[in-house]
Amino acid sequence: MRWLALFIAIGLLFDAEAEASNRRVALVIGNASYANAPPLGSPVNDAEDIAAGLAGLGFDVDLRKNTTIDDLRVGLVAFTEKSAAADIAVFYFAGYSAAAGVGSYLIPVDAHLATPESANAETVPLAAVTAAAGRARRLGLVILDAMRENPFPAIPNGRSSSSSLTSAGSTPIRNTLVFFPAEPGRTAEEGEGRNSPFAAALLKYLRQADLEINFVFRNVRDEVRQATHRKQTPYMYGQLSKDKIYLHPVKQVVQDDTAVMQHCDNAVAGLADLRGRADQGETRDNLKAASAVAACAEAVKRWPGADRLHYQLGRSLFAMRDYGGAVASYKAASELGNARALYELGLMYENGNGVEKDPARSRFYYEMAAEKKIAPAFVSLGLQQERGIGAASDPAKAYALYQRAAELGDATAINRMGELAEKGLGARRDLKLARALYQRGAAMGGLEALVNLARCNANGIGGRRDLAAARRLLAKAAQAGSTDARRILAHIEESKPK
């Protein structure tokens, strides 16, 4: 109930119109002296130094050290109000957190976290902080230097990172970034000096002149990886507009050569067309892919802050079977806010292309992409749920995820719904519904749906038997590239009486 009151208070503040100026505000928190957990060494130092650095960049800084739950809530409400009248709003937290990623909870120094229920009342969800920072006109920035080993017995039982990312109505706030000190499943190091490796890198690059915000984070990431011998890789989540943002602008040079961008886009579009054609040899495919790599590498060189170009370079590198290069490009694109790149990273980790197979990490990327309404990400999550990858198989949850993708117009999802309805898994067994779903997916060009609809016609599943229609559907699917349809047609021909 206390958090309900806080959200109501924040909501009321949202209703007040405030003219945003060039004002910069920051709430900086360092929690080290925990009453019911081992004390931490660097958070207060980190907070003091980050606060000083931001103040030097013209920020109105509210520095709070060793905050209780009440201190944290009061500071957040004040920060929310200030953000509404600001151009840029920054929230920095060093200390313990519960869970990880976008589903994190910030832990004040007086927390006990004895049970999940009490933990809800004793922590602050990262979502509330992100909403507060997101009120700023140009940039809301949340920096969470808190992914340390959690020594408390419980974590909040509210929506986890997994559920919040795929729940209805959950969308990222535009022009808001969240920067984590380590990737999912990894912990952040405290370091041996005054500052943590993450805070030390931030202090180095936040104040660097003419460094666009995306490159601040990329430099911080590289610095932390080097300082921790690659044990820790910072991760950025969020989305920005196309406008460049500088924390310390001195001079800004803008290039304009859209022909180079267009050349990259056209080259990659040619690869997409080529994949659907059976009359081209592998040599020509490789030449096309190499040409696309060259075009997109040049475009990235000119516009290193353009997420779409990094994504296109990733696609062309994948076509060249340079999977390591594709992973690097997709990560660069995702850090710049590209949602499709998040989905592609999920596939890379699921299939082990350029990386070790990691179902948990693939699911993380799928969830991030699903939050941004990338339909295939819902399908991949559904397949993992259906097949019991990373958790017990749950066809009902899989069906619900397929429905989300179907609402976004995904033919594969519609076909999967049909297969579950036909088998009675995750939904009531309904052969007519299954056939109708196959028909809907086939009308959208889904090859698997075409084959399933042909099977229904051939066997009278969910409707009348029509062998002629089945053959037409198989021929259509085979012509479009379905190996299953070709195999079935070949078997039919072999089975004919000689």
Side-chain angles (χ1 to χ4, degrees):
M1 292 302 293
R2 296 181 71 182
W3 264 112
L4 177 60
L6 176 59
F7 276 113
I8 291 172
I10 292 175
L12 292 174
L13 290 171
F14 280 15
D15 293 334
E17 292 292 336
E19 182 179 355
S21 64
N22 198 33
R23 186 182 177 197
R24 297 170 165 212
V25 301
L27 173 57
V28 178
I29 294 171
N31 284 353
S33 301
Y34 282 84
N36 302 293
L40 298 173
S42 66
V44 170
N45 297 337
D46 296 335
E48 289 175 342
D49 295 345
I50 292 290
L54 291 173
L57 294 173
F59 280 80
D60 173 9
V61 180
D62 179 5
L63 171 62
R64 295 174 180 247
K65 295 178 281 188
N66 293 319
T67 58
T68 64
I69 185 62
D70 290 335
D71 293 335
L72 195 49
R73 287 171 176 163
V74 169
L76 182 56
V77 171
F79 176 65
T80 303
E81 184 174 9
K82 289 179 181 179
S83 297
D87 197 51
I88 298 177
V90 175
F91 177 93
Y92 174 88
F93 179 90
Y96 284 121
S97 67
V102 294
S104 295
Y105 294 79
L106 312 185
I107 303 178
V109 295
D110 58 346
H112 291 81
L113 276 66
T115 65
E117 292 73 23
S118 65
N120 286 331
E122 295 176 353
T123 58
V124 172
L126 181 60
V129 175
T130 306
R135 304 224 43 216
R137 182 173 65 88
R138 294 196 67 208
L139 173 66
L141 174 58
V142 177
I143 303 173
L144 186 65
D145 193 0
M147 294 173 68
R148 296 168 171 85
E149 290 288 352
N150 181 8
F152 292 92
I155 61 173
N157 64 358
R159 293 191 306 172
S160 67
S161 170
S162 171
S163 62
S164 66
L165 285 168
T166 56
S167 60
S170 176
T171 56
I173 302 172
R174 190 165 183 80
N175 283 357
T176 304
L177 298 177
V178 184
F179 200 31
F180 301 102
E183 291 182 305
R186 304 291 178 90
T187 56
E189 296 189 3
E190 282 235 63
E192 298 178 355
R194 173 177 173 82
N195 302 116
S196 72
F198 185 56
L202 284 168
L203 289 166
K204 179 177 179 179
Y205 290 106
L206 281 177
R207 295 171 289 194
Q208 185 166 322
D210 289 323
L211 193 61
E212 205 274 332
I213 191 68
N214 288 292
F215 289 93
V216 170
F217 296 135
R218 292 169 72 177
N219 286 347
V220 168
R221 177 196 62 194
D222 293 344
E223 187 90 3
V224 172
R225 280 174 59 82
Q226 182 176 359
T228 62
H229 305 289
R230 298 181 177 269
K231 294 178 182 177
Q232 183 178 330
T233 301
Y235 183 81
M236 183 174 71
Y237 164 72
Q239 60 178 352
L240 292 176
S241 68
K242 63 181 180 181
D243 298 330
K244 290 182 171 63
I245 298 174
Y246 299 83
L247 294 179
H248 187 194
V250 176
K251 59 181 180 178
Q252 302 165 18
V253 179
V254 179
Q255 297 173 310
D256 187 14
D257 186 3
T258 55
V260 177
M261 279 190 181
Q262 194 63 47
H263 184 38
C264 168
D265 289 335
N266 291 342
V268 176
L271 288 178
D273 293 337
L274 200 61
R275 280 196 293 268
R277 295 168 60 180
D279 60 339
Q280 303 295 339
E282 185 175 348
T283 301
R284 184 170 178 182
D285 286 11
N286 289 339
L287 289 174
K288 288 277 189 179
S291 177
V293 168
C296 293
E298 176 63 23
V300 165
K301 182 179 178 181
R302 296 198 184 201
W303 287 278
D307 66 281
R308 186 186 83 254
L309 298 179
H310 287 280
Y311 170 68
Q312 298 287 51
L313 178 58
R315 293 178 64 194
S316 56
L317 287 166
F318 188 91
M320 281 284 293
R321 297 180 179 83
D322 181 356
Y323 299 130
V327 168
S329 290
Y330 286 143
K331 284 189 174 180
S334 69
E335 289 167 1
L336 293 168
N338 190 287
R340 291 291 310 189
L342 290 167
Y343 169 68
E344 296 294 342
L345 283 169
L347 286 177
M348 302 291 272
Y349 277 100
E350 180 170 331
N351 298 319
N353 296 130
V355 291
E356 291 291 328
K357 281 189 177 184
D358 190 335
R361 186 162 293 189
S362 73
R363 183 174 184 83
F364 170 80
Y365 284 117
Y366 289 149
E367 287 173 339
M368 300 287 269
E371 183 178 357
K372 296 186 179 184
K373 299 191 185 307
I374 301 301
F378 285 106
V379 176
S380 293
L381 287 170
L383 288 169
Q384 287 191 337
Q385 196 72 65
E386 186 179 346
R387 295 167 182 172
I389 299 174
S393 174
D394 192 330
K397 288 183 179 179
Y399 193 90
L401 287 163
Y402 296 146
Q403 280 184 310
R404 295 288 301 279
E407 291 166 3
L408 295 171
D410 191 278
T412 300
I414 294 168
N415 177 71
R416 297 300 303 176
M417 290 170 62
E419 291 180 351
L420 290 179
E422 183 178 353
K423 298 172 185 175
L425 295 174
R428 181 175 60 85
R429 188 166 189 259
D430 189 330
L431 299 183
K432 288 185 178 180
L433 173 61
R435 183 164 177 161
L437 288 167
Y438 295 146
Q439 190 163 6
R440 180 182 163 194
M444 297 169 63
L447 298 187
E448 292 177 337
L450 275 168
V451 173
N452 275 328
L453 183 59
R455 180 172 54 80
C456 288
N457 275 277
N459 297 288
I461 299 171
R464 69 186 184 90
R465 191 176 184 218
D466 190 334
L467 293 177
R471 290 193 181 93
R472 287 195 299 271
L473 290 165
L474 288 171
K476 183 177 180 180
Q479 187 176 11
S482 170
T483 55
D484 285 339
R486 291 172 185 164
R487 176 178 52 78
I488 295 169
L489 286 171
H491 179 72
I492 292 173
E493 290 301 317
E494 292 173 359
S495 302
K496 284 183 178 179
K498 303 298 183 182

